[in-house]
Amino acid sequence: MTAIAAGIVLFHPDPDALAETLAALAPDVAALYLFLNAPADEALRACLRRPLAAPVILMNDGRNLGLGTAYNRMAAAARAGGHATLLLLDQDSTPPPGMARHLQAAHRRLREAGECPAVIGPHPVAAGGSATKTPRLFLRHGSAPVDGARPLEFLISSGSLLDLAAFEAIGGFRDDFFIDAVDIEWCFRAWARHFSCWMLPGLAMPHRLGQGLVRVPLIGLQLARQPCFRLYTYARNQTAMLRLDHVPLRWKLKLFPYIAIQAAIHCVVRRDTAALRAFARGIADGLARRMGPVRHRFVG
């Protein structure tokens, strides 16, 4: 198995942006798996009828099953289809031309160097003109770069090339996380099972994180502006990771103070208590292991 497949999770995407993404990916992949986490309207269906250099396989019936389930089902379909690797993307990323080929070549070099890469991805950067935050990267302590690739604690899922044999050995993404931190938990689990996670610093991928920026005057801190239900899932899933043995202690020690700081900042900037309630409910549910789809209503 050598061919690359690509998998994209769709939730009310912009059809023109999706068309550009599909056109950029199709020449370098053997199949395009599109997972519908929302019903497809006519504009999306018209986009998907455009001819491409790779076959398009539609998955799911439009029910929102969350990112973890979507990734797992696309990985299983790609594995069954004879593909060795799966490039995950979401609609908030714009892959540069040839990204899949560059990642596949780097994956091969890592294996030839004796590494066991579970995943390798590009360097995510804020999309031009989007006023969004560049995802923060965390280098892996005690691991050295190999042939231009840098080891990271975790990668964002969008843009990451999964080794499907490693994925099978590590296990799938957490379905019950639904959205947020599914990639963080999985990468920590990969490291704990003697696989590794890598990034190519020279391969930039524009990515739109959140709905803008929350800027903190004087100290220059920037946070991604998210709706309250995303603040809830972030706090819940990060809190749930405190119970997991494969999550490093260093991550757990920095996590709780950081969540508290974010909760205070979002509350002050929004000038209401909806964000604070979202964080508080998320922490409570994470500690109580109340996981799965978001069942609470949040305002803000």
Side-chain angles (χ1 to χ4, degrees):
M1 296 189 295
T2 57
I4 313 171
I8 308 177
V9 181
L10 302 180
F11 186 81
H12 302 299
D14 176 88
D16 293 333
L18 177 62
E20 291 181 12
T21 295
L22 294 176
L25 286 175
D28 298 325
V29 301
L32 290 159
Y33 295 92
L34 304 183
F35 197 93
L36 300 176
N37 257 347
D41 59 19
E42 183 51 40
L44 176 56
R45 293 191 180 280
C47 168
L48 299 181
R49 286 194 291 267
R50 299 178 189 180
L52 290 167
V56 172
I57 300 98
L58 290 180
M59 301 181 65
N60 200 31
D61 58 4
R63 292 175 297 157
N64 189 356
L65 302 181
L67 284 182
T69 296
Y71 293 155
N72 290 340
R73 293 192 182 182
M74 290 191 297
R79 185 81 164 152
H83 306 294
T85 52
L86 174 67
L87 177 65
L88 293 179
L89 277 169
D90 63 34
Q91 64 202 42
D92 296 321
S93 298
T94 305
M99 186 178 82
R101 287 185 286 106
H102 289 303
L103 293 175
Q104 184 82 323
H107 174 265
R108 182 176 60 252
R109 292 195 299 270
L110 286 168
R111 289 178 59 86
E112 291 171 351
E115 301 292 338
C116 296
V119 61
I120 183 168
H123 183 188
V125 297
S130 66
T132 57
K133 181 177 181 290
T134 294
R136 189 176 176 188
L137 306 175
F138 295 86
L139 294 175
R140 179 72 177 181
H141 296 281
S143 298
V146 174
D147 197 15
R150 303 182 72 180
L152 296 187
E153 294 274 29
F154 55 83
L155 290 80
I156 67 168
S157 53
S158 187
S160 60
L161 184 74
L162 293 179
D163 182 304
L164 292 176
F167 184 82
E168 190 170 291
I170 295 162
F173 293 97
R174 290 279 298 256
D175 297 281
D176 60 344
F177 274 31
F178 195 73
I179 191 171
D180 285 311
V182 293
D183 38 19
I184 299 174
E185 185 278 330
W186 188 84
C187 286
F188 281 141
R189 190 164 11 117
W191 281 108
R193 297 184 182 179
H194 307 294
F195 292 91
S196 49
C197 307
W198 302 83
M199 180 196 70
L200 287 182
L203 182 61
M205 180 190 72
H207 180 74
R208 293 167 293 280
L209 179 62
Q211 300 175 340
L213 290 172
V214 175
R215 293 184 172 91
V216 183
L218 301 180
I219 63 174
L221 181 64
Q222 294 183 342
L223 301 176
R225 181 179 292 276
Q226 297 279 23
C228 283
F229 86 90
R230 291 293 302 273
L231 301 180
Y232 162 80
T233 53
Y234 167 80
R236 183 194 67 180
N237 296 348
Q238 293 279 9
T239 301
M241 288 199 296
L242 295 173
R243 297 179 178 273
L244 303 179
D245 291 340
H246 58 268
V247 175
L249 178 61
R250 61 183 176 273
W251 182 256
K252 296 176 181 179
L253 291 176
K254 72 173 64 171
L255 181 62
F256 231 73
Y258 189 52
I259 290 178
I261 291 170
Q262 289 185 83
I265 291 172
H266 279 282
C267 183
V268 170
V269 170
R270 291 169 185 245
R271 297 184 181 179
D272 63 36
T273 59
L276 187 59
R277 289 196 303 272
F279 273 102
R281 180 63 69 92
I283 292 170
D285 285 355
L287 291 173
R289 303 182 185 180
R290 290 189 291 263
M291 309 296 286
V294 179
R295 298 181 177 87
H296 310 294
R297 290 185 177 272
F298 297 103
V299 178

